[in-house]
């Protein structure tokens, strides 16, 4: 196996990882970015980003992320379209395996983000790609002229429902409670939209159509009465949040009960509460509270500055 020694390796190429790449590249650390399963992260599958400062008219997520990547490359960051199969933080420089190569790293910046969450129903899993999706921007086009449902009560669900009205004739937004997590502005937009119907206390019990290999409808359960009903739809989109991608580090750094990386002093990782020198975490993989593009970028910057400081203190 080939071995490559790097000053800085960044896991993940979303907003946090790319910001860390821009900063470490400008500091001359020639970072290697392992792009992971979802290159560009969540922004690459979103539509208009209206709240990233500096873009008064908003900017498309893929364009924003593409610009960040170009900016990092301009300063010497390199990218590999791969993900990690193994990490060993017990040796220094840290040892990382990608399946085809071994990389040794003086500093590691974990920016592996979070991935879409599923309901976990066997019928849902069986129909992924056959009418069940967690990415409206990727798959919305296939539902032109059809009726679909979106599950969730947060901003992601509102955003997906609003976006999907471009294709679907009707979008039923199903939420398991009657209180929404979504911001007021997003919720109001969904409520006001003539093609969106909001249904509360609605739990998806089963996705219908497994035998036909395409979504035919949903069996819904009323969370209060327990009563069952059917909703005829051709598609189901999940907008129920994300799970942090930190499993490969379990046991080597501290994670919280939901699997988010616990950080001290913003981006320092710990093991049994003691700081792990040289390993930093930023973005959604360590942020269960804010989870915004701008906060991810901010923490990516912090991780880069900490990595730089760490290497400088070692006379690197
Ligand atoms: P979220 O705020 O955590 O909301 C997840 C929603 O899914 C909740 O309503 C939750 O229901 C529901 N849910 C979770 N598991 C479920 C299950 N098994 N079955 C049914 N429903 C389930 O996640 P998010 O909407 O992805 O937003 C995450 C962060 O990104 C937020 O800070 C948000 O503001 C931000 N964001 C912003 C924008 C924007 O500004 N344009 C767009 C997208 C996301 P309960 O409420 O009952 O727990």
């Amino acid at each position: 196996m080939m071995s490559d020694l790097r000053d800085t390796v960044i896991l993940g190429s979303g907003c946090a990882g790319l910001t860390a790449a821009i900063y470490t590249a400008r500091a001359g650390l020639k970072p290697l970015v392992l792009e992971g399963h979802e290159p560009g992260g969540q922004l690459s599958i979103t539509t208009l980003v209206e709240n990233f400062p500096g873009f008064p008219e908003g900017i498309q997520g893929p364009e924003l992320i593409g610009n960040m990547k170009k900016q990092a490359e301009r300063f010497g960051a390199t990218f590999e379209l791969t993900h990690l199969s193994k990490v060993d933080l017990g040796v220094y420089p840290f040892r990382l395996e990608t399946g085809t190569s071994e990389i040794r790293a003086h500093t590691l910046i974990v920016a592996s983000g979070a991935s879409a969450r599923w309901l976990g129903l066997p019928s849902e899993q069986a129909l992924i790609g056959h009418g069940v999706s967690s990415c409206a921007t990727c798959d919305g086009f296939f539902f032109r002229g059809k009726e679909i449902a979106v599950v969730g009560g947060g901003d992601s669900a509102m955003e997906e429902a609003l976006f999907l009205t471009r294709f679907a004739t009707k979008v039923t937004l199903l939420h398991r409670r009657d209180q929404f997590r979504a911001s007021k502005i997003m919720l109001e937009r969904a409520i006001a939209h003539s093609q969106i119907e909001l249904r509360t206390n609605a739990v998806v019990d089963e996705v219908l159509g497994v035998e036909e290999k395409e979504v035919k409808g949903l069996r819904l359960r009323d969370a209060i009465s327990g009563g069952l009903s059917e909703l005829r739809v051709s598609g189901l989109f999940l907008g129920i949040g994300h799970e942090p991608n930190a499993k490969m580090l379990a046991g080597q750094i501290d994670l919280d009960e939901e699997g988010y990386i616990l950080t001290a002093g913003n981006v320092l990782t710990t093991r049994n509460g003691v700081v792990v020198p040289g390993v930093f975490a930023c973005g959604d993989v360590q942020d269960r509270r804010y989870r915004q593009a701008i906060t991810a970028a901010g923490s990516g910057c912090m991780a880069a500055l900490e990595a730089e400081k760490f290497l400088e203190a070692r006379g690197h």
Side-chain angles (χ1 to χ4, degrees), residues 28-228:
L29 300 179
K30 298 190 178 66
L32 170 65
V33 182
L34 304 182
E35 296 194 74
H37 284 294
E38 295 169 36
Q42 290 174 52
L43 273 188
S44 67
I45 54 166
T46 193
T47 50
L48 192 64
V49 180
E50 290 183 309
N51 50 12
F52 201 91
F55 302 94
E57 305 302 325
I59 180 167
Q60 292 293 323
E63 190 185 349
L64 178 59
I65 215 77
N67 286 345
M68 287 186 189
K69 185 173 176 183
K70 274 189 224 147
Q71 200 173 345
E73 282 173 330
R74 191 181 133 216
F75 295 114
T78 51
F79 289 78
E80 257 184 45
L81 200 57
T82 183
H83 62 93
L84 274 193
S85 51
K86 205 170 159 197
V87 186
D88 186 356
L89 303 180
V91 292
Y92 191 82
F94 309 119
R95 189 190 300 130
L96 315 171
E97 284 178 26
T98 68
T100 52
S101 65
E102 183 187 273
I103 304 160
R104 303 295 294 263
H106 288 289
T107 55
L108 179 66
I109 296 179
V110 184
S112 44
S115 296
R117 193 182 282 148
W118 300 94
L119 296 172
L121 300 168
S123 52
E124 167 208 54
Q125 295 298 304
L127 288 166
I128 291 174
H130 300 278
V132 174
S133 169
S134 66
C135 176
T137 41
C138 318
D139 300 325
F141 182 79
F142 302 117
F143 297 88
R144 194 174 286 276
K146 301 198 169 148
E147 297 197 2
I148 56 165
V150 172
V151 182
D155 281 334
S156 295
M158 303 302 139
E159 191 178 59
E160 288 204 357
L162 288 160
F163 175 74
L164 288 165
T165 58
R166 294 186 197 184
F167 311 102
T169 48
K170 184 180 172 191
V171 179
T172 306
L173 186 75
L174 304 166
H175 181 37
R176 64 182 176 185
R177 296 189 295 148
D178 58 2
Q179 301 288 313
F180 289 88
R181 279 181 205 273
S183 53
K184 198 164 170 274
I185 183 168
M186 299 287 280
L187 181 60
E188 279 171 1
R189 276 184 202 166
I191 291 172
H193 203 293
S194 61
Q195 280 159 266
I196 299 180
E197 183 188 327
L198 273 75
R199 281 176 68 170
T200 51
N201 299 316
V203 176
V204 178
D205 239 16
E206 195 175 346
V207 187
L208 308 172
V210 173
E211 282 196 358
E212 295 91 334
K213 292 196 170 60
E214 63 175 15
V215 172
K216 294 287 182 191
L218 305 173
R219 192 170 68 226
L220 303 178
R221 182 169 41 84
D222 187 294
I224 312 262
S225 70
L228 297 176

